[in-house]
Amino acid sequence: MLKYEIKKNKIIVLNPQEFDVVQTLDCGQIFRFQIDKNKAKVMSKDKIAVLTSEADKIVIETTDVKYFENFFDLKTDYEGIKNQLKKDNMLSEAVEYGGGIRILNNDCFEMLVSFIISANNNISRIKKSIEYLCLNFGSNLGNYFAFPTLKQLKTATIDDFMKAGLGYRAPQMFETINKLTEEEIESLKTKSQKEQMEFLVSLKGIGEKVANCVMLFGLGVKNVFPVDTWINKVYNNLAKTKETNRAKITKELTEKYGNLSGYAQQYFYYYFRDNKIK
DNA sequence: GCCCAGGGATGCG
DNA sequence: CGCATCCATGGG
C-alpha cells in the first residue's frame, strides 16, 4: 500500500517503489504530459500537476490535491494486485518490468476523444493531434491549455479536425462530438458495464477496443482487456497462434483475468511494446 | 520508399 | 454472422 501525506498544495508519496512516474506516463494511457529529467507535468481536463521524483519520495504539486489523489489511484493496493498477477507465468516478467505503473483515473470525455484519435495511429501523432485541439479549442489557463470541453469542440468543423491531423477520423469525430450531450457523458458513469459498452460503440469512431480504453482509463472499469495490435501480437506469440479475430482474444483474456484484466493488460502492453517482441 | 501505428466502418458473401 | 478491404498521415 502506498504511503502518502496530503498538504494544502501538494501530495508527498513516501514509498515510491509502488509508483514510477515515467512508467505510469509512458505506458500509453495518457497523452498530455511532459517529462524533463526527474520532473513531470501532467495535464487532465482543465487541471495540472507537477511531479518531482526523488530517491525516497515523489512530490506532487497541484492546486487540486483531491483530484490528483484519485487520478493517480493512490488508494489502490498495487502490491496485492501484482502478487496475484505474478502467479501467471506469462505475466510475471511483465509485472516485474512495469511494476511502477498505476492505472490513471482520467476524465471520461477526454479519454473518449483521445481514444477515437488513437485508432490505427501512433502515440507521437496522437499527442500532436490532441495538443492541437487543446491549443485551438481549449481554454488558455496561463501556463497551459485545458482539454477542450464538449461545448468548445462543437465549434470545430471537419476541416478543423483535418488540420489537427485526424485524417479519415475527422468526419467520425465531427459526427460524434455533435451528437453527444453533457447529460449522456454524465449518465455514463452510473450505467452498468454492458450499457456503457452499448452506448460507446453506438458512437462513430468507437469500436470494442476504443470503448474498452474509455471504460478502463475514463470510467474506472477494470474488468476490460483492450486488444490492440501489440496485444494481438503478444497473444499470438505466447499462444503460438495466428489469431486475427480481436473480439475473440478480448473475450478469452477478459474471462481469464477477470477483475484484474485492466491491470494485466497494461503490464502486457508496456512490457512487450518496449521489448518489441513480434 | 516502405511498413506500421493502443482500429473502425463498410460491403460482400 | 465472419471476413476482406479501405482509410489519412507521419514516425521510424
Side-chain angles (χ1 to χ4, degrees):
Chain A
M1 205 68 153
L2 216 53
K3 287 178 186 164
Y4 58 94
E5 297 170 358
I6 296 188
K7 311 264 174 145
K8 184 171 289 184
N9 283 322
K10 63 174 81 172
I11 305 171
I12 302 170
V13 180
L14 299 168
N15 54 342
Q17 62 272 22
E18 287 284 303
F19 183 6
D20 186 304
V21 175
V22 174
Q23 286 182 4
T24 298
L25 298 178
D26 202 34
C27 67
Q29 57 176 328
I30 179 170
F31 305 103
R32 291 204 298 146
F33 65 92
Q34 297 156 23
I35 298 173
D36 183 14
K37 295 179 183 175
N38 67 330
K39 275 192 180 290
K41 288 183 185 174
V42 181
M43 277 78 83
S44 170
K45 203 173 177 181
D46 56 348
K47 300 174 188 301
I48 187 169
V50 178
L51 290 78
T52 307
S53 300
E54 297 171 20
D56 55 343
K57 64 180 176 185
I58 297 170
V59 179
I60 305 170
E61 297 178 80
T62 172
T63 56
D64 198 336
V65 291
K66 279 293 168 194
Y67 184 84
F68 283 100
E69 179 188 22
N70 177 59
F71 181 84
F72 289 112
D73 206 23
L74 300 185
K75 291 177 183 170
T76 298
D77 175 25
Y78 278 75
E79 200 171 353
I81 293 166
K82 288 190 287 180
N83 285 337
Q84 280 296 116
L85 292 175
K86 275 183 192 171
K87 293 175 186 171
D88 185 312
N89 286 336
M90 296 189 288
L91 252 180
S92 60
E93 205 169 325
V95 172
E96 206 63 47
Y97 181 77
I101 292 175
R102 306 186 77 80
I103 309 272
L104 301 174
N105 292 306
N106 213 327
D107 178 65
C108 181
F109 176 65
E110 180 167 346
M111 293 297 96
L112 189 151
V113 172
S114 298
F115 278 94
I116 288 176
I117 297 171
S118 81
N120 193 28
N121 208 341
N122 62 61
I123 289 181
S124 58
R125 283 195 77 240
I126 299 165
K127 280 184 182 171
K128 285 184 179 174
S129 290
I130 291 172
E131 190 176 359
Y132 181 95
L133 293 181
C134 293
L135 288 173
N136 288 280
F137 297 96
S139 300
N140 185 346
L141 299 178
N143 306 334
Y144 65 101
F145 282 77
F147 194 84
T149 63
L150 175 61
K151 189 177 177 184
Q152 288 173 323
L153 277 186
K154 281 181 189 290
T155 68
T157 62
I158 293 180
D159 192 51
D160 287 325
F161 289 130
M162 288 301 288
K163 283 177 187 160
L166 299 206
Y168 64 85
R169 307 168 200 82
Q172 301 173 352
M173 183 68 81
F174 181 81
E175 185 178 330
T176 289
I177 287 295
N178 286 287
K179 187 184 164 205
L180 259 182
T181 66
E182 297 281 1
E183 292 72 28
E184 286 173 327
I185 297 166
E186 200 51 39
S187 69
L188 251 187
K189 298 171 185 173
T190 55
K191 278 187 158 72
S192 73
Q193 196 174 326
K194 188 184 172 190
E195 290 172 324
Q196 289 173 342
M197 174 60 78
E198 283 173 0
F199 177 75
L200 288 169
V201 298
S202 75
L203 300 172
K204 277 285 185 299
I206 302 186
E208 186 179 28
K209 190 272 175 182
V210 169
N212 276 335
C213 285
V214 175
M215 291 164 73
L216 177 57
F217 305 127
L219 291 166
V221 178
K222 300 302 192 293
N223 186 29
V224 289
F225 202 115
V227 176
D228 72 324
T229 54
W230 286 107
I231 296 292
N232 199 160
K233 287 179 195 171
V234 174
Y235 178 90
N236 283 328
N237 184 278
L238 294 175
K240 311 247 180 262
T241 54
K242 292 183 179 176
E243 184 61 62
T244 57
N245 187 335
R246 293 191 185 176
K248 201 170 162 185
I249 299 174
T250 304
K251 185 170 185 293
E252 185 181 325
L253 295 177
T254 307
E255 283 173 0
K256 178 170 181 180
Y257 293 103
N259 290 329
L260 298 182
S261 293
Y263 304 98
Q265 193 272 0
Q266 269 316 96
Y267 295 126
F268 263 129
Y269 174 80
Y270 184 62
Y271 178 67
F272 286 98
R273 186 197 68 180
D274 275 22
N275 289 282
K276 299 195 188 304
I277 292 176
K278 291 173 186 171

